[in-house]
Amino acid sequence: MTPREKLSLLNYEPPDLGFQVGLSSYLGIVISGLVASFGVAVDVATPTLLGIVPTVFTIVTVHGVVLAKRFSGVAERIGASRWLTLACFSPIVTHGAVLLADVLGALEVPSRLFVTSGVALVFTGVAAAALASMAGNRFVDAVTREDPETTWTWHSSRRWGTENGALVVGLSFVAMAIVLGFASRNWGGGLFWAFMGLFWLLPFLSDDDTWYADADRTSHLPDLRAHDVGIVTDRPQSRRLIPWDDVEDVRLTEDELILERRFLDVRCDRAEIDDPEAVLEGIERARARGTGRPPAPATVDERENGDDLRSRKRSLETS
């Protein structure tokens, strides 16, 4: 059973208060941001806009909370659809087009409109990301209400782990801030955000624990849960579902537990799993329940380990 098929069998309930506030706040930010950009474009006075924009945000947000109660299942439907999730980010296209036109020199944008569009883009992007995350979490919770077959902590066996990935993304944003700052002739702003970004990235450049006080260095690692609809990546603030249709094979090698996918495999360090064979059996049971196929034998894939593993087995048998 696919996640969407299982979702269609559920009885939808009105969204919880948290999602009502999140959805209404998102709509308030989107509409007030467009109003602010339009007002600046038609040269409305700044004091007038400072009175109009907060009023628009308040009205939309309050009415949004009331109206959101009537749309049962809206969070689960958004979270289940990639297109609806992407649609949450569509309002940033308008603000991004204004910034891009100025940076490329296609249009001379007044500095006031440039700043307003930039601020609106940031706030809209953050609100859209928060809404998409909330919807995704509620969708995953809706289709995985039963207890998982097995659970384990994801210690990635890849050379580039989560912290290094965050470092690359962070440095990319710093570089973007510098480029946009210089391109918009706002040198001070570009350098300011670049230094702020570098300061935020300092913990990733350090190997000691002083940046994290007495926190557990493994507390940020996600848990993986095997359900009949797929594998859930469970992080403290977000949950993501990998459907069984996206998993081509599950293998246990000498060093890794591997969930093969079309693009990015999920690779877990076998040494960090308490009972890897039991975890593999649980995964196969959940996969069999979800796909209707009998579970595959839970064996170590010798092809991944080559002749070295086979030779060691022979030496053990002869000794």
Side-chain angles (χ1 to χ4, degrees):
M1 181 182 296
T2 65
R4 287 193 179 184
E5 290 173 346
K6 187 170 184 178
L7 189 64
S8 64
L9 301 177
L10 300 177
N11 294 321
Y12 292 119
E13 297 179 356
D16 58 276
L17 181 59
F19 189 80
Q20 292 174 26
V21 174
L23 178 59
S24 59
S25 299
Y26 164 78
L27 293 175
I29 290 173
V30 168
I31 295 176
S32 59
L34 293 173
V35 169
S37 296
F38 178 77
V40 171
V42 298
D43 204 20
V44 175
T46 300
T48 304
L49 282 176
L50 291 177
I52 293 175
V53 172
T55 302
V56 170
F57 173 79
T58 303
I59 293 174
V60 173
T61 302
V62 171
H63 284 78
V65 171
V66 176
L67 293 175
K69 298 178 182 179
R70 304 182 181 182
F71 295 94
S72 299
V74 62
E76 291 81 0
R77 289 189 176 95
I78 293 175
S81 172
R82 289 190 179 96
W83 292 110
L84 289 178
T85 301
L86 287 175
C88 296
F89 294 87
S90 58
I92 69 175
V93 174
T94 304
H95 307 298
V98 174
L99 299 178
L100 192 61
D102 183 77
V103 170
L104 298 179
L107 186 66
E108 187 173 350
V109 178
S111 59
R112 197 163 69 115
L113 178 58
F114 186 90
V115 172
T116 303
S117 297
V119 172
L121 185 145
V122 171
F123 276 88
T124 303
V126 171
L131 181 66
S133 178
M134 294 172 68
N137 290 346
R138 282 154 179 77
F139 161 67
V140 173
D141 292 342
V143 297
T144 58
R145 293 175 179 173
E146 77 285 350
D147 293 332
E149 283 287 345
T150 185
T151 303
W152 71 102
T153 302
W154 184 10
H155 292 264
S156 178
S157 58
R158 294 183 183 276
R159 186 174 181 181
W160 281 78
T162 305
E163 291 186 1
N164 290 325
L167 174 62
V168 172
V169 173
L171 289 176
S172 299
F173 276 109
V174 170
M176 238 164 56
I178 294 174
V179 171
L180 290 176
F182 286 118
S184 63
R185 301 172 298 280
N186 185 3
W187 291 48
L191 289 174
F192 171 78
W193 288 113
F195 280 119
M196 287 293 290
L198 287 173
F199 180 78
W200 181 80
L201 289 169
L202 281 176
F204 297 106
L205 302 174
S206 175
D207 291 330
D208 60 63
D209 294 335
T210 56
W211 292 97
Y212 303 95
D214 296 328
D216 183 6
R217 290 302 300 270
T218 63
S219 61
H220 67 286
L221 296 176
D223 289 332
L224 297 178
R225 299 188 273 114
H227 293 267
D228 58 349
V229 292
I231 298 290
V232 174
T233 306
D234 191 354
R235 292 181 170 85
Q237 301 298 330
S238 66
R239 290 172 290 284
R240 189 169 63 91
L241 177 65
I242 304 174
W244 290 122
D245 290 343
D246 292 347
V247 179
E248 296 182 347
D249 193 17
V250 181
R251 292 181 291 109
L252 184 63
T253 70
E254 186 182 19
D255 301 317
E256 298 175 306
L257 173 63
I258 305 172
L259 281 73
E260 285 189 359
R261 302 175 64 194
R262 294 184 181 90
F263 299 106
L264 292 175
D265 297 340
V266 176
R267 294 178 175 269
C268 308
D269 189 347
R270 176 172 177 161
E272 299 292 342
I273 303 175
D274 292 336
D275 191 346
E277 287 80 10
V279 169
L280 179 60
E281 291 175 1
I283 293 173
E284 292 296 352
R285 286 196 304 271
R287 190 183 185 192
R289 243 186 25 245
T291 60
R293 293 185 299 222
T299 58
V300 175
D301 188 353
E302 293 186 1
R303 292 173 298 176
E304 286 292 314
N305 300 297
D307 296 333
D308 182 58
L309 179 60
R310 288 194 286 272
S311 61
R312 273 186 281 177
K313 284 187 175 181
R314 292 194 198 99
S315 64
L316 289 173
E317 290 173 356
T318 54
S319 58

